[in-house]
Amino acid sequence: HYWVVANVTPLFDNSGNIIAYDSCRRVPSKKVIKETIAPLYKKLVELESDGGVEKSISYLQNLLKENGVSYEEFIFNLEYGDK
């Protein structure tokens, strides 16, 4: 697999029109991939095989809720830790 943490930001002209996108990508640590990303990905794929995308989305939403974080906070914490 190819794992990256990516942030995409639109670039605007003087009239407010999107003219391009800027992307910043970072490779997560091997520890984060091994301990968090790969097991979570495996679980989501299993759930999708069994109950469709809705089942995996529900699982992820519940995981985030149980941990009291948004998706953005979850991703940020993978890279920078719980600060």
Side-chain angles (χ1 to χ4, degrees):
H1 298 288
Y2 173 69
W3 299 108
V4 295
V5 177
N7 181 46
V8 179
T9 305
L11 303 176
F12 301 92
D13 65 15
N14 291 335
S15 299
N17 300 308
I18 296 174
I19 57 172
Y21 293 91
D22 184 40
S23 176
C24 176
R25 295 182 287 173
R26 295 173 312 283
V27 176
S29 72
K30 290 180 181 181
K31 179 180 178 187
V32 167
I33 293 170
K34 181 180 178 182
E35 295 179 3
T36 305
I37 296 173
L40 177 58
Y41 180 74
K42 181 180 178 184
K43 178 69 173 176
L44 296 175
V45 169
E46 288 172 3
L47 290 168
E48 285 183 22
S49 295
D50 182 47
V53 173
E54 295 82 11
K55 195 167 183 180
S56 67
I57 290 172
S58 178
Y59 177 85
L60 181 57
Q61 289 171 334
N62 287 331
L63 177 70
L64 297 172
K65 185 176 180 180
E66 289 172 5
N67 286 283
V69 295
S70 67
Y71 178 77
E72 291 79 10
E73 290 168 319
F74 175 75
I75 296 300
F76 182 86
N77 289 338
L78 288 177
E79 184 67 21
Y80 299 106
D82 195 11
K83 298 183 180 183

